[in-house]
């Protein structure tokens, strides 16, 4: 199961990096979100994927470490807030400049100075 998750994590990072290297601001945001999800999967996989094990200690039985799950829940909330902020800034930049091309946005900054 960990090999499958490693493949999915690698795929998410590769697709996210591909989107982040584009000129469109919206694709950069999508790439950031994909890489964020890849890092969340990496965290949950680092806690060892076990099926049917209790998340608390009960004697000598096997258990699942609850720390990665708590980290994931916190990271999901922070990720949603960050994504909402980035999308709001991207929408505002599009409304202000009329384009989501990063090169056009950069050239627009030089024209104002």
């Amino acid at each position: 199961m960990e090999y499958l998750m490693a493949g999915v994590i690698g795929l998410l990072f590769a697709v996210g990096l591909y989107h982040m290297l584009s000129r469109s601001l919206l694709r950069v945001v999508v790439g950031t979100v994909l890489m964020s999800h890849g890092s969340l999967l990496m965290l949950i996989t680092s806690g060892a994927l076990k099926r049917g094990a209790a998340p608390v200690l009960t004697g000598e039985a096997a258990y699942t470490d609850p720390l990665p799950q708590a980290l994931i829940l916190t990271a999901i909330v922070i990720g949603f807030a960050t994504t909402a902020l980035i999308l709001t800034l991207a929408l505002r930049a599009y409304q202000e400049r009329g384009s989501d091309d990063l090169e056009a946005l950069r050239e627009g900054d030089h024209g104002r100075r």
Side-chain angles (χ1 to χ4, degrees):
M1 185 75 171
E2 282 84 8
Y3 293 116
L4 176 66
M5 295 302 286
V8 171
I9 292 167
L11 182 67
L12 282 175
F13 270 95
V15 173
L17 184 63
Y18 174 75
H19 281 283
M20 287 184 76
L21 294 176
S22 68
R23 292 177 54 167
S24 172
L25 186 59
L26 187 59
R27 291 183 73 166
V28 171
V29 172
V30 169
T32 305
V33 170
L34 287 176
M35 290 184 81
S36 170
H37 287 296
S39 62
L40 293 178
L41 281 177
M42 186 176 64
L43 277 175
I44 198 77
T45 305
S46 69
L49 301 173
K50 296 178 183 172
R51 299 180 79 182
V56 293
L57 290 174
T58 56
E60 297 293 325
Y63 68 95
T64 302
D65 189 12
L67 182 61
Q69 296 172 9
L71 287 173
I72 293 298
L73 288 176
T74 305
I76 286 172
V77 172
I78 293 171
F80 279 140
T82 305
T83 302
L85 176 66
I86 291 173
L87 284 175
T88 303
L89 291 175
L91 177 65
R92 182 69 182 143
Y94 179 75
Q95 289 174 342
E96 184 75 22
R97 304 296 173 115
S99 174
D100 70 337
D101 187 35
L102 291 175
E103 290 296 323
L105 293 175
R106 183 176 297 158
E107 291 171 1
D109 284 342
H110 292 296
R112 286 188 165 196
R113 291 181 186 168

